[in-house]
Amino acid sequence: MDKVSLVVPCFNEQDNIVPFYDEILKVFSEIPEAAFELMFVDDGSSDETFSRIAELHDKDDRVKCISFSRNFGKEAALFAGIRNVTGDCTVVLDADLQHPPALIKEMYSLWKQGFQVVEGIKQSRGKESKIHGLFTRLFYRMISHAVKIDMANSSDYKLLDKAVTTELAKLGERNTFFRALSFWVGFKTTSVYYEVADRASGRSKWSTKSLMKYAIKNMVCFSYTPLHIISIVGIIFVLVALGIGIDALCSYIRNSAASGFPTIVFLLLIGFGGCLISLGIIGIYIAQIYDEVKKRPQYIIGRRIG
Ligand code: UDP
Ligand code: MG
């Protein structure tokens, strides 16, 4: 019998735990050839999430839990999950039922056909603002360019073979980007499509600010394009400066030098602006390198069930 592990990151999801579990029971009643292990990763919840999971475990020992000492973020939760499961394959999905569990059946059958990574692709992006949509499209274009795979509409909902989770678990980096790393490791990949459901209960943990931080962190993690842009902008500045220099020289020779104060101020401002932006971008990369060099763990496990 196959064993499917489910990794479910939870941050203050007390009202979603039991409905989620019920859904999973329903799904696996339709896959009699597979057993499951349900690994909740409690990401430092301050509500009743942990005790709800503990109650479920008392009834059903297939329910397990790793609980962090504080909130370390969803990425850390996903990696803690895949490092601690024992199944032949692992499905990663959200606790709020936005990733429809009914899809597990299709993912499982694709895995049985020999696919090692089954990516859940969002058919629609659910409820999002226009600006958010524009921003995510830009972000994913850059990341797609970096991993050389089209990542538009990709999500954290996916099935990974044991071979894949073993490789992912070995990665030593702290600033992980699960969604892109599952492409990066390679293996035989296919996709399934789904509609993002509305959140079952509670609120999304993402604010615009935290999404911006997430995007910048992951861009740095996967792309050197911003550093290349700096060099290109630098070259353009030098070329413009050369052009202006030559023009000034010609004017001087023709004895018709223009009164150049505004031009100088303009150029100075552009130059300083460019330098500051470049320094900022380099700073972000250095901060991330610093983060990696410190070698602090990505998460700390406080309690365990099962
Ligand atoms: N989550 C987490 N740690 C966090 C934030 C979120 O483990 O710091 C979990 C959350 O409980 C949920 C999943 O990650 O199961 C997706 O979070 P959310 O629904 O807030 O994000 P959205 O669906 O709005 O992108
Ligand atoms: Mg959600």
Side-chain angles (χ1 to χ4, degrees):
M1 188 130 150
D2 296 321
K3 184 170 174 189
V4 180
S5 297
L6 303 163
V7 167
V8 188
C10 308
F11 179 47
N12 295 340
E13 301 283 5
Q14 58 179 20
D15 296 328
N16 288 326
I17 300 296
V18 174
F20 180 86
Y21 169 74
D22 291 341
E23 279 295 312
I24 295 300
L25 286 186
K26 218 186 292 170
V27 169
F28 278 88
S29 69
E30 290 171 22
I31 319 177
E33 65 275 29
F36 74 88
E37 156 191 64
L38 178 51
M39 176 64 81
F40 286 108
V41 184
D42 170 23
D43 185 11
S45 302
S46 53
D47 64 357
E48 294 303 311
T49 300
F50 185 79
S51 53
R52 296 277 158 87
I53 299 169
E55 282 162 23
L56 275 184
H57 171 78
D58 292 340
K59 283 198 303 188
D60 183 346
D61 63 4
R62 292 173 295 181
V63 176
K64 298 170 183 176
C65 180
I66 292 172
S67 180
F68 288 169
S69 57
R70 64 167 170 84
N71 179 246
F72 280 91
K74 184 179 174 186
E75 283 290 319
L78 293 178
F79 274 81
I82 61 172
R83 286 194 179 107
N84 286 281
V85 288
T86 55
D88 303 301
C89 65
T90 301
V91 177
V92 175
L93 73 171
D94 287 357
D96 56 9
L97 294 172
Q98 284 199 288
H99 294 160
L103 207 65
I104 294 174
K105 198 175 169 191
E106 195 183 336
M107 288 178 152
Y108 174 76
S109 77
L110 286 164
W111 175 70
K112 284 302 260 184
Q113 288 167 33
F115 290 101
Q116 290 166 294
V117 178
V118 184
E119 296 283 343
I121 307 282
K122 297 177 199 166
Q123 207 134 44
S124 66
R125 298 196 52 93
K127 284 186 194 129
E128 278 179 353
S129 71
K130 279 224 168 68
I131 294 179
H132 184 128
L134 192 80
F135 185 62
T136 34
R137 271 200 298 281
L138 185 76
F139 167 58
Y140 279 114
R141 193 161 297 169
M142 285 184 82
I143 298 290
S144 301
H145 179 74
V147 290
K148 312 253 178 321
I149 289 168
D150 183 12
M151 291 211 17
N153 298 324
S154 69
S155 71
D156 286 335
Y157 189 11
K158 44 190 104 200
L159 180 147
L160 306 169
D161 184 78
K162 198 180 174 79
V164 182
T165 44
T166 307
E167 289 307 320
L168 284 173
K170 277 193 233 162
L171 294 177
E173 57 202 89
R174 273 131 207 93
N175 289 302
T176 52
F177 182 24
F178 180 71
R179 207 171 288 189
L181 284 168
S182 70
F183 281 108
W184 179 86
V185 287
F187 294 98
K188 196 174 173 201
T189 303
T190 186
S191 310
V192 289
Y193 295 85
Y194 70 95
E195 297 283 340
V196 180
D198 286 342
R199 212 167 209 289
S201 164
R203 287 178 45 210
S204 171
K205 313 296 178 301
W206 295 100
S207 62
T208 310
K209 190 176 151 212
S210 64
L211 268 176
M212 293 267 276
K213 272 171 82 176
Y214 179 71
I216 290 173
K217 197 189 85 164
N218 291 327
M219 209 119 73
V220 172
C221 176
F222 253 93
S223 165
Y224 300 118
T225 316
L227 290 177
H228 295 160
I229 293 173
I230 292 182
S231 329
I232 292 165
V233 171
I235 292 168
I236 293 171
F237 274 17
V238 171
L239 288 178
V240 170
L242 268 178
I244 290 174
I246 291 168
D247 181 59
L249 204 65
C250 292
S251 310
Y252 180 72
I253 292 167
R254 278 191 263 109
N255 236 340
S256 60
S259 61
F261 187 67
T263 328
I264 289 172
V265 172
F266 174 73
L267 284 177
L268 273 178
L269 284 179
I270 287 202
F272 275 135
C275 283
L276 288 178
I277 293 169
S278 311
L279 280 175
I281 294 175
I282 294 171
I284 294 172
Y285 276 87
I286 293 179
Q288 192 140 322
I289 294 169
Y290 181 52
D291 236 23
E292 298 288 345
V293 168
K294 279 187 292 192
K295 292 214 182 301
R296 279 192 197 146
Q298 193 181 13
Y299 50 83
I300 296 170
I301 297 174
R303 297 177 282 186
R304 268 175 199 273
I305 307 174

